[in-house]
Amino acid sequence: MNLHPVLRTLAGAAAVVGALAVTPAQAQSVAVTSIVEHPALDAVKDGIHEALTKAGYTEAKGLKWQFQTAQGNTAIAAQIARKFIGDKPDVIVAIATPSAQAVVAATKTIPVVYAAVTDPVAAQLVADWGPSGTNVTGVSDALSLEKQIELIQKVVPNAKKVGMVYNPGEANSVVVVKQMRELLPKAGMSLVEATAARTVDVGAAARSLVGKVDVIYTNTDNNVVSAYESLVKVGNSAKIPLVASDTDSVKRGAIAALGINYHNLGLQTGAVVARILKGEKPGDIASETSAKQELFVNPGAAEKQGVTLSDALIKSAAQVIK
C-alpha cells in the first residue's frame, strides 16, 4: 500500500513518538557510599558532585544522586553495598577502602569507582594499576612515604621513635605501617605502633605512646581521622608533636601535613564517573593517583606540642593555619 507523502511523514512521526513513549530517555543514577563522614572524605564526595555538575549531570536534568555513610562500621558498609546493588544505579562510587571492598565484593557487573583508597591492589580491588578489565576503576590517595618521613624530620629533627595509631582492620593502614617499618630505619628512626580498632579507642591508643615516642605520625586511617581531636588532646598535654598526612587534620591541631587536596581528588574521581556515564567501560580505565600534594603547617599547634617550626618550612607551606 502506497501512502501519500504527508501521511507517510505523519506515520513516521507517530512511530517515533510511540517509540519514545515506550523507551523514555534513561535518567543517569549515581550511588555514593563512604565508610565515615569526616572533612577529607566529605571533600571527596562534594568534589565528585561538582565534577558531575560541570559535565552536565545535574538533578535538574534527571541525575539521581544518593549518598549513604557506614558510620565507621564495616557491617553497615556491606548493607549499603547490597542496597545500592538492588537499586541498580549506573555507577557506584565507594569512598575509602572498607566501603570500596564491600561494594567490589558484592557486584561484578555494576560499574564501581573507588576514591581515597591508598593501595587498591593490596585491598584487592584491582589486580594492578593498569586497566582492570573488570567493573572496577578509581582514584587512589597514595602518598610518597619517603616524603612523609622527610617532613617528620623537618618538624622534629632529632626524632628517633615515631609512634603510629592505626586500625589493624583497615587494609590501607596495614600497608602504610608495613612500609614505615621498613623505611624508618633507613632514616635512623624506628616505629612504635598502637592499634585502635574503633574510633573510641584512638585516645587510649595515643596515651599508650606517651613516654615511648618523640613524634606521632598519622596516615589517612579513617578511625584516627574521625577522632583526631582525641589525638590532639594527648599531643598537647604530653608535648608530643603530631605530624599528619591529611591536611584537614592540621586545622584540627596537627603541626603539619603533606597531603592531597581531597576536593581535587573528588573532582578527579567525578571526571572518571562522567566518562563511564558517557559510555566508557570501567575496565578500560586505569586506576589513577593524585600527583598534586600540599603542605599545611600550624605554628600554634607546634608551640602547644613543644616544637618550633623553621622559617623555611613555614615559607614552603601552601597554607599556614593561624
Side-chain angles (χ1 to χ4, degrees):
M1 181 176 67
N2 289 323
L3 288 175
H4 188 279
V6 173
L7 291 177
R8 276 205 302 271
T9 303
L10 288 173
V16 170
V17 170
L20 288 173
V22 175
T23 56
Q26 181 66 45
Q28 302 283 7
S29 57
V30 176
V32 184
T33 179
S34 177
I35 188 60
V36 73
E37 290 184 273
H38 62 61
L41 301 189
D42 294 347
V44 174
K45 176 192 69 176
D46 294 343
I48 293 165
H49 193 272
E50 186 181 320
L52 288 175
T53 300
K54 286 178 179 174
Y57 297 101
T58 64
E59 282 88 341
K61 293 180 181 175
L63 174 70
K64 292 179 183 174
W65 166 277
Q66 61 170 316
F67 171 75
Q68 289 197 16
T69 172
Q71 299 163 349
N73 187 315
T74 52
I76 295 174
Q79 287 173 11
I80 293 169
R82 287 194 294 273
K83 182 204 178 291
F84 281 0
I85 287 151
D87 293 342
K88 297 182 178 175
D90 294 301
V91 181
I92 298 175
V93 183
I95 303 173
T97 304
S99 285
Q101 288 175 315
V103 174
V104 169
T107 181
K108 298 292 180 274
T109 54
I110 297 172
V112 178
V113 179
Y114 68 78
V117 171
T118 301
D119 192 332
V121 178
Q124 298 183 322
L125 304 179
V126 290
D128 55 48
W129 287 87
S132 67
T134 68
N135 62 317
V136 183
T137 187
V139 183
S140 166
D141 61 352
L143 294 166
S144 161
L145 290 181
E146 287 84 356
K147 286 194 170 81
Q148 298 292 305
I149 291 168
E150 285 173 17
L151 178 61
I152 292 169
Q153 291 176 313
K154 286 173 183 174
V155 174
V156 192
N158 299 317
K160 296 295 177 194
K161 302 274 188 184
V162 178
M164 264 192 85
V165 177
Y166 72 100
N167 174 11
E170 192 164 318
N172 65 309
S173 297
V174 173
V175 168
V176 171
V177 168
K178 182 174 179 288
Q179 290 175 330
M180 290 294 274
R181 276 192 212 123
E182 296 167 1
L183 291 171
L184 282 170
K186 296 174 185 176
M189 295 183 280
S190 61
L191 187 68
V192 182
E193 300 165 31
T195 58
R198 300 169 302 162
T199 303
V200 293
D201 301 328
V202 171
R207 286 192 293 277
S208 76
L209 295 172
V210 175
K212 299 177 186 174
V213 300
D214 305 308
V215 58
I216 294 175
Y217 169 74
T218 52
N219 70 314
T220 53
D221 185 288
N222 291 294
N223 277 359
V224 174
V225 175
S226 295
Y228 206 81
E229 282 74 15
S230 60
L231 205 68
V232 172
K233 192 175 178 184
V234 174
N236 290 351
S237 63
K239 292 284 189 282
I240 302 175
L242 303 178
V243 176
S245 57
D246 164 40
T247 53
D248 281 304
S249 296
V250 180
K251 299 170 188 175
R252 298 162 72 189
I255 293 173
L258 179 64
I260 285 165
N261 181 309
Y262 278 89
H263 184 73
N264 288 345
L265 190 84
L267 292 173
Q268 192 174 345
T269 305
V272 173
V273 175
R275 287 169 66 184
I276 294 168
L277 292 177
K278 286 171 184 169
E280 281 193 63
K281 291 180 180 177
D284 294 339
I285 303 172
S287 290
E288 299 177 3
T289 56
S290 177
K292 189 181 178 186
Q293 293 177 23
E294 298 175 330
L295 174 65
F296 281 35
V297 297
N298 185 333
E303 193 176 330
K304 288 175 187 172
Q305 293 160 27
V307 297
T308 303
L309 298 178
S310 70
D311 289 339
L313 187 64
I314 294 170
K315 282 176 185 170
S316 69
Q319 196 166 330
V320 178
I321 309 300
K322 301 293 186 185

